[in-house]
Amino acid sequence: MELTDVIAARRSIRKFKQEDISTDSVRVLLDAARLAPSGSNLQPARFIVAQSVASKEALGRCTPYKFIAKAAVIFVCCADLATITTRDARVGELLQEGAFEGVDMDMNDPSAVSPALDAEAVKAYLTMNVAIAIEHIVLKAVDLGLGSCWLGRFDRDKVRKFLALDENIYPVVLLPVGYPDQLPKARPRFPLDKYVLKTI
Ligand SMILES: Cc1cc2nc3c(=O)[nH]c(=O)nc-3n(C[C@H](O)[C@H](O)[C@H](O)COP(=O)(O)O)c2cc1C
């Protein structure tokens, strides 16, 4: 599908057909996430792939959205908070790869230095990066004829406990994916002039 068509066709899908998706499709979706950009190339996105009936039902008990148990797969989309400590290594790789070669930049500009972030700021920053990877999955899913729904409302502690997640793995969103069993109309959006504060 053309990217413009994928963007226009995407909807939040909250009803799925009882139909599995192939292992290859799951891999393609995860690879779309892997190719997402991230600040300093930290690549903080981590996924738990829930495909068994038992695991999907268990995740369904961690959220008001019981429909997720019927999805073919649920991606528990997480941020690895420890990746913030790997900034020097990742930037080193970028430098080695020539990412900034010949780039017009002023390294004496005060904002060239990475700021020290407190724990909440690290979480917010890494969550922003994970969101990009999630939306790559969401859009690629449409391209494969699949649907999904971002779910930010879930019991993080319950999910953490059920999955026995490491302390540094922060669950961001539950993303059920499967073949849509509904064709929702486009939801309201503000007109473009509301999005554009000013053109300068
Ligand atoms: C970060 C984020 C969190 C969301 N969390 C939920 C959620 O907890 N429950 C839900 O039903 N939909 C959730 N959604 C889906 C939105 O409700 C949906 O995107 C919005 O209503 C527009 O509809 P559309 O996606 O069909 O265009 C979330 C979307 C995003 C991007």
Side-chain angles (χ1 to χ4, degrees):
M1 262 169 105
E2 278 286 329
L3 181 58
T4 312
D5 297 332
V6 168
I7 291 170
R10 187 212 54 79
R11 300 282 183 276
S12 289
I13 297 300
R14 300 184 179 91
K15 198 167 178 218
F16 296 101
K17 287 185 182 151
Q18 294 287 273
E19 194 178 330
D20 284 343
I21 66 177
S22 69
T23 310
D24 192 48
S25 293
V26 171
R27 206 182 151 72
V28 166
L29 293 174
L30 289 167
D31 211 44
R34 190 180 68 88
L35 296 177
S38 56
S40 300
N41 206 22
L42 287 178
Q43 304 166 71
R46 302 287 183 270
F47 300 92
I48 285 97
V49 183
Q51 279 187 292
S52 71
V53 172
S55 66
K56 289 185 290 185
E57 283 178 352
L59 288 170
R61 290 192 286 275
C62 299
T63 169
Y65 304 108
K66 303 305 169 198
F67 73 86
I68 69 169
K70 296 215 170 102
V73 57
I74 303 169
F75 295 109
V76 182
C77 308
C78 304
D80 182 350
L81 303 179
T83 55
I84 199 70
T85 63
T86 65
R87 201 148 50 176
D88 289 351
R90 296 289 84 78
V91 170
E93 283 165 4
L94 290 175
L95 288 169
Q96 216 166 17
E97 292 294 322
F100 303 108
E101 239 163 61
V103 174
D104 185 8
M105 57 192 287
D106 177 6
M107 288 313 290
N108 294 318
D109 187 299
S111 59
V113 181
S114 299
L117 303 173
D118 66 22
E120 279 312 302
V122 165
K123 207 179 270 179
Y125 177 65
L126 295 178
T127 295
M128 170 171 72
N129 285 279
V130 173
I132 301 167
I134 297 169
E135 190 62 7
H136 271 209
I137 296 182
V138 166
L139 294 177
K140 188 64 202 174
V142 175
D143 191 39
L144 297 177
L146 298 164
S148 67
C149 187
W150 285 69
L151 293 174
R153 214 168 290 179
F154 62 94
D155 185 329
R156 216 161 249 115
D157 291 336
K158 254 183 166 175
V159 167
R160 229 177 221 308
K161 212 164 162 192
F162 165 59
L163 297 171
L165 295 179
D166 269 15
E167 207 182 312
N168 49 309
I169 301 296
Y170 174 71
V172 176
V173 149
L174 301 180
L175 189 77
V177 177
Y179 286 99
D181 196 17
Q182 60 176 174
L183 225 169
K185 60 180 184 184
R187 305 306 178 197
R189 291 293 191 272
F190 299 133
L192 203 51
D193 60 6
K194 176 141 180 149
Y195 280 80
V196 181
L197 290 180
K198 55 173 108 172
T199 303
I200 54 174

